[in-house]
């Protein structure tokens, strides 16, 4: 088996999720090219060393430039917050490295477009990690739509609901500041929903959007405090500069209409990423919190047997599942990252493209940016 060397930049939540993908993909999938976990990079040497040791990365760096310029590295994994993607991606592409990038693609649409151009100009493989596409139930939904089981699509109803900042004492982390996050759930969460809507329904033509803030000031974070650490409350406060919730209404090119709800204030909803699709012949519904299931309604069922049925997407005939356990042995959140790595390595082997990629990332950010513009102006925005 051939191998290719990976350098990962970033070692927190996504660094772990991606590392698990690089580790597991060659164990569960028959890959022609094996990823070698070569180097892990982070600014804090002690922390990145501990991470590398735990996850099997062979060595560490504290300067990302050394990773993207290293002739030994074939693939750069950008597991960083999105305001740091741009510089790294441009340099990685310029050095001929293939790029596996965490979502959302970039801090701004302009950056995203430049990243796409750099990847294309340098002929490198580029992948954008909207991980939920590679959930078996989502793949099954796509299959049903492509087979015509749903017919003409009328409605998309997407929601991504979390509740991690309901507490007014939750600190002002990077996710709540415009300089680092660009926007709030519109960028972080609606990027996932728009990706799935593009994948399942199609291109979006117009966007109307409403955003709001429930809490406008928060305690400043203490040294090293992240969205997932719990610390004592700082008395010093700062202004929240991104929205707390966003509601979008869209028209699709194919005549369907859709809504997108993204919030971090849905008390009790931890990671409720849901969609419903209603068509002329049937309907589909998905809820990430029950991610092995796909709800399907068919008009073709006899009248006296009609109703939404729950399909367990864990039969080995369903996409990706045959690589894991016998039927009925469910899989979870982390498996999507393994599937992404397996597909990425296969694309490298076959010299093919992979989706979603930077082209999709630009397409997604165009919709999200139009949403933010609509929220500011109060007007419907047409996408060019
Ligand atoms: C936080 O809101 C977050 O971790 C997102 O950044 C992820 O993309 C999403 O999958 C889960 O929630």
């Amino acid at each position: 088996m051939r191998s290719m060397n990976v350098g990962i930049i970033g070692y927190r939540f996504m660094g772990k999720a991606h590392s698990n993908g690089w580790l597991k993909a060659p164990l569960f999938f028959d890959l022609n090219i094996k990823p070698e976990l070569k180097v892990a990079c982070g600014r804090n040497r002690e922390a990145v060393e501990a991470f590398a040791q735990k996850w099997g990365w062979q060595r560490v760096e504290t300067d990302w430039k050394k990773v993207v310029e290293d002739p030994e590295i074939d693939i750069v994994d950008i597991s960083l917050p999105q305001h740091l993607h741009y510089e790294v991606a441009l340099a990685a592409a310029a050095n001929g490295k293939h790029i596996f990038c965490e979502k959302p693609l970039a801090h701004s649409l302009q950056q995203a477009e430049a990243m796409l151009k750099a990847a294309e100009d340098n002929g490198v493989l580029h992948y954008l990690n909207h991980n939920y596409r590679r959930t078996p139930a989502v793949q099954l939904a796509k299959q049903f739509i492509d087979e015509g089981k749903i017919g003409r699509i009328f409605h998309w109803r997407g929601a991504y609901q979390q509740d991690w900042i309901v507490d007014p004492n939750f600190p002002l982390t990077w996710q709540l500041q415009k300089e680092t996050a660009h926007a709030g759930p519109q960028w972080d969460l609606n990027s996932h929903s728009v990706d799935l809507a593009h994948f399942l329904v199609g291109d979006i033509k117009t966007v109307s959007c409403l955003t709001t803030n429930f809490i406008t000031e928060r305690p400043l974070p203490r040294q090293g405090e992240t969205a997932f650490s719990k610390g004592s409350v700082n008395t010093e406060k700062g202004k929240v500069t991104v929205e707390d919730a966003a509601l979008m209404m869209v028209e699709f090119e194919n005549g369907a209409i859709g809504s997108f709800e993204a919030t971090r204030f849905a008390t009790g909803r931890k990671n409720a990423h849901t969609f419903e699709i209603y068509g002329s012949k049937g309907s589909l519904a998905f809820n990430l919190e029950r991610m092995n299931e796909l709800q399907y309604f068919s008009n073709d069922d006899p009248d006296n047997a009609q109703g939404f049925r729950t399909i367990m997407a864990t039969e080995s005939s369903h996409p990706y599942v045959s690589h894991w356990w016998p039927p009925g042995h469910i899989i979870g959140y982390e498996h999507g990252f393994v599937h992404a790595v397996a597909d990425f390595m296969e694309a490298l082997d076959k010299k093919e493209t992979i989706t979603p990629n930077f082209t999709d990332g630009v397409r997604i950010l165009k919709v999200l940016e139009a949403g933010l513009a609509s929220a500011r102006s109060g007007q419907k925005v047409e996408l060019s």
Side-chain angles (χ1 to χ4, degrees), residues 13 103 132 160 162 164 188-189 192 271 333:
F13 177 19
K103 54 60 66 177
Y132 300 119
Y160 204 142
Q162 300 182 335
W164 51 281
D188 183 25
L189 303 180
H192 278 310
N271 204 28
Y333 169 74

Side-chain angles (χ1 to χ4, degrees), residues 352-367:
E352 286 173 351
T353 56
I354 178 173
T355 54
N357 55 30
F358 289 8
T359 307
D360 298 286
V362 167
R363 206 165 141 229
I364 295 164
L365 295 199
K366 274 189 182 156
V367 174

Side-chain angles (χ1 to χ4, degrees), residues 13-14 17-18 100-104 127-136 138-139 160 188 191-192 195-196 271 273 286 288 291 320 332-341 343 355-356:
F13 177 19
M14 281 306 123
H18 289 207
F100 189 103
C101 185
E102 186 47 33
K103 54 60 66 177
Y127 167 70
L128 176 64
N129 190 42
H130 280 292
N131 48 306
Y132 300 119
R133 268 207 203 188
R134 286 179 163 76
T135 299
V138 172
Q139 290 286 327
Y160 204 142
D188 183 25
S191 58
H192 278 310
D195 178 59
L196 291 188
N271 204 28
H273 181 18
F286 172 76
L288 181 67
M291 62 172 279
Y320 296 113
Y333 169 74
E334 72 276 24
H335 293 73
F337 296 78
V338 183
H339 302 160
V341 167
D343 289 345
T355 54

Side-chain angles (χ1 to χ4, degrees), residues 171-173 219-226 229-236:
L172 191 66
T173 56
L220 296 178
R222 295 186 191 279
Q223 181 70 23
E225 200 168 23
T226 71
S229 55
K230 297 212 186 316
S232 59
V233 179
N234 194 343
T235 48
E236 246 189 290

